[in-house]
Amino acid sequence: MTEKTTALILEGGALRGVYTSGVLDVMMLHHLKFMRVVGISAGSLNGLYYVADQIGKAAELNLNYVRDSRYMGVSHLAKEKSFFNFDFVFQDIFNDLIPFDFDTFHNSDIRFWAGVTNCANGQIEFIEKSEQADFLNVCRASSSIPILSAPVEIDGQYYVDGGVACAVPLFEDLPFACDRLVLVLTRPKGYRKSSVPEAVQKFYRVHFKDSPGMIDRLVTAPLRYNEKMDAIDEMEKQGRVFVIRPQKPVNVSRIEKDVEKLTALYRDGRQDMAFAYRSLMEFLEA
């Protein structure tokens, strides 16, 4: 009997990603290793630490520096066209303040993809860690929320947050074939997005006037997200996906600075994963 292949999919959500940090920390404590991992937006940052097997470091980054003016703020948006100061994150934090284990990351046999949205056509692209020497730049692109962050150049093309094109990749979206998915989501079951207000749609049309594909993706993002959630609910019933997500409403914004809220959400992630561990192992062994 052929062994089934499983992929770990990490949703974004900016600072709500501390939930995912908690989930992954418990996975690492149990030495639970998925050989195919896909991260979208903040999910790509969490995925970096999962592949590098660095427990607690993703949470430490946000919980220790979220109130640091060097990390994010309107001053950076004015100067560098990016609310989040990714230079500080990927240079100062990764190299000095919370040293990232680059050797373990690059030598890991885990295949890891980050999803990015192509600004020219609004389509999702998945870039594997083996394809780019500067994979941190790929994760920077994956995490660059439109308007709040400047597009990131990769090989002459410009990219933004992968969640714009595909918030949660499912079987048909992925650049590889697999039998099962383990999804780490950052919103509770039943959560659905409201449509984009007309005033915001007009702003998108002006800001991305040269990229109609991007406009379409931004305007239709809530509808496509809701369709994904409907599909996930159905596949969960069928036993094709295993979902780990918050068990209660998440009162944390994408640019949250309340450390107590973020710490509580991180603990929720750890608790939910600990509770789900036995069921997840049954899913994987079935």
Side-chain angles (χ1 to χ4, degrees), residues 42-54:
S44 69
L45 296 181
N46 277 303
L48 287 171
Y49 288 102
Y50 176 78
V51 176
D53 197 27
Q54 288 187 276

Side-chain angles (χ1 to χ4, degrees), residues 27 37-38 47 59 62 64 81 87 111 131-132 135 154 177 180 190 200-201 211 234 240 242 246 250 254 261 272 282:
M27 285 187 179
V37 180
V38 178
N62 283 312
N64 283 15
K81 298 182 180 180
D87 286 340
R111 298 186 66 184
E131 298 173 346
Q132 285 286 334
F135 192 73
I154 303 173
R180 300 174 301 194
V200 178
Q201 291 187 36
S211 303
E234 185 60 33
R240 299 181 65 199
F242 188 95
V250 177
R254 293 193 296 179
K261 282 186 179 181
D272 291 347
E282 291 174 355

Side-chain angles (χ1 to χ4, degrees), residues 34 38 48 74 102-103 105 124 150 158-159 169 197 202 215 242 261 265 286:
F34 292 91
V38 178
L48 287 171
V74 291
F102 288 97
D103 288 339
F105 176 79
I124 188 72
Y158 285 91
Y159 297 90
K202 290 180 179 178
I215 296 171
F242 188 95
K261 282 186 179 181
L265 186 58

Side-chain angles (χ1 to χ4, degrees), residues 1-40:
M1 184 175 179
T2 304
E3 184 178 352
K4 289 186 176 181
T5 57
T6 306
L8 175 64
I9 311 297
L10 309 175
E11 187 187 12
L15 270 300
R16 287 191 291 271
V18 296
Y19 177 84
T20 303
S21 303
V23 171
L24 296 182
D25 280 352
V26 173
M27 285 187 179
M28 287 187 277
L29 284 169
H30 283 285
H31 305 288
L32 184 52
K33 188 177 180 181
F34 292 91
M35 301 311 298
R36 293 174 177 82
V37 180
V38 178
I40 298 292

Side-chain angles (χ1 to χ4, degrees), residues 9 11 18 24 28 69 75 80 90 104 119 125 141 143 150 157 169 202 214 218 229 240 242 246 249 273 284:
I9 311 297
E11 187 187 12
V18 296
L24 296 182
M28 287 187 277
S69 61
S75 62
E80 297 133 22
F90 291 116
T104 298
C119 290
E125 294 182 20
S143 305
Q157 296 280 329
K202 290 180 179 178
M214 274 291 294
L218 287 164
M229 293 303 110
R240 299 181 65 199
F242 188 95
M273 182 60 239
L284 297 174

